[in-house]
Amino acid sequence: MSADGSAHSAESAESTENAENAEEMEVRDPVSAPDAEGRPRRTTRRFPLFTKDTARPEGGGRAASGEAPAPARQWPMLAVLGTVGLGLLVTAFDLFRLGTLLVGAALLAGAVLRWVLPGVGMLAVRSRFTDIVTYGVLGLSIVMLALMAQPNPLLEIPFLKDTLHFTVSN
């Protein structure tokens, strides 16, 4: 019985210690837990009402040194936007195929720049992999569509023509 009594007294001493620690801690939310220093910290999975900061994407640093003027630090983004603008201008002057090829080539160049350069400035929007895939797929699809555009397509894919006739005729 003394073994049970000593075990019981050890449990009561431990519960008294836990009760003293609980009195010291201030609980702000129904879902809070102490951090490493013992302060209560919110552990809810709900997003905060106001975002305090966001993580910079991988490779989102400056493309040139901090002493360089702002446009020079963002040269990859300016090169892609300049080429897209030139493509849209060429398209406006009734050279549809050449203009859309320029737009697609600019996006493909953006994918290559994102892959090759360690810092691409504002061209980095998401993770490196996601940016490369997004720029690459969009650029390739725009180039392919420009090559297949009527009249006189430069690229003909036979099964697409059969598929189109099948869907239109039925």
Side-chain angles (χ1 to χ4, degrees):
M1 179 140 195
S2 68
D4 289 339
S6 64
H8 180 45
S9 64
E11 286 176 7
S12 64
E14 189 176 312
S15 65
T16 306
E17 185 178 315
N18 288 341
E20 289 173 4
N21 287 343
E23 289 174 8
E24 293 174 12
M25 261 200 310
E26 172 189 333
V27 178
R28 297 183 301 194
D29 296 48
V31 202
S32 62
D35 60 4
E37 286 81 31
R39 295 182 307 244
R41 181 174 166 227
R42 187 171 184 178
T43 59
T44 181
R45 294 181 62 177
R46 198 176 295 169
F47 288 110
L49 187 59
F50 298 105
T51 304
K52 302 228 188 300
D53 60 351
T54 56
R56 175 177 280 174
E58 174 189 357
R62 295 179 175 141
S65 70
E67 292 82 33
R73 291 191 304 253
Q74 297 298 330
W75 73 266
M77 182 68 167
L78 292 175
V80 170
L81 283 178
T83 309
V84 167
L86 180 65
L88 292 175
L89 185 66
V90 168
T91 303
F93 286 119
D94 209 23
L95 294 170
F96 171 76
R97 191 178 316 270
L98 180 62
T100 51
L101 282 172
L102 276 173
V103 171
L107 289 174
L108 289 172
V112 170
L113 286 172
R114 186 71 171 102
W115 183 28
V116 172
L117 297 177
V120 290
M122 292 190 326
L123 193 60
V125 179
R126 296 158 294 266
S127 71
R128 187 178 304 269
F129 174 78
T130 306
D131 282 342
I132 292 170
V133 169
T134 303
Y135 294 143
V137 167
L138 288 174
L140 185 64
S141 57
I142 289 173
V143 166
M144 296 295 285
L145 288 171
L147 292 175
M148 291 188 286
Q150 298 290 334
N152 305 322
L154 300 175
L155 176 67
E156 290 188 27
I157 301 176
F159 73 87
L160 287 179
K161 189 174 186 179
D162 296 337
T163 305
L164 178 65
H165 288 296
F166 177 74
T167 57
V168 172
S169 66
N170 290 336

